[in-house]
Amino acid sequence: MPNTSDDAYPAAGPGTAAAPPDRARRVTPDPQGPVLVEGPVEVALDDGTLARSDRFMVAVCTCRRSRSYPWCDTSHRPRARDGASPEGRSLR
């Protein structure tokens, strides 16, 4: 589970990093889902708070359906009923 402490690194100001990374971070957008980011990661939220994760890879939600926003919980995936494809057609 990602850490959400916003006092781990004091913010340097809007749009600036508080602590420079040791190396460039790899960001991988997934057209069908989240943005994968090599960690550790800080995400600046709309209300000014920071969500922090120390994990080696995080999935950042881009659809805002996640119950654990800004972290992806796969809510973007279509859900299918038993016996039906994601498009709603029967598999039988």
Side-chain angles (χ1 to χ4, degrees):
M1 186 85 188
N3 299 333
T4 56
S5 172
D6 51 331
D7 60 356
Y9 293 105
T16 61
D22 294 339
R23 61 181 178 82
R25 300 290 180 213
R26 179 171 293 164
V27 176
T28 309
D30 181 347
Q32 300 297 316
V35 174
L36 301 176
V37 183
E38 288 184 1
V41 174
E42 284 184 349
V43 177
L45 301 175
D46 293 339
D47 63 1
T49 60
L50 292 177
R52 179 167 170 78
S53 173
D54 292 321
R55 298 183 68 164
F56 70 95
M57 179 72 72
V58 295
V60 179
C61 177
T62 57
C63 71
R64 293 191 175 248
R65 294 180 191 155
S66 175
R67 287 187 223 139
S68 59
Y69 186 82
W71 317 117
C72 179
D73 66 2
T74 68
S75 294
H76 62 274
R77 292 183 183 166
R79 304 289 187 224
R81 294 184 180 149
D82 290 338
S85 69
E87 292 83 24
R89 295 178 297 217
S90 176
L91 295 176
R92 295 179 193 157

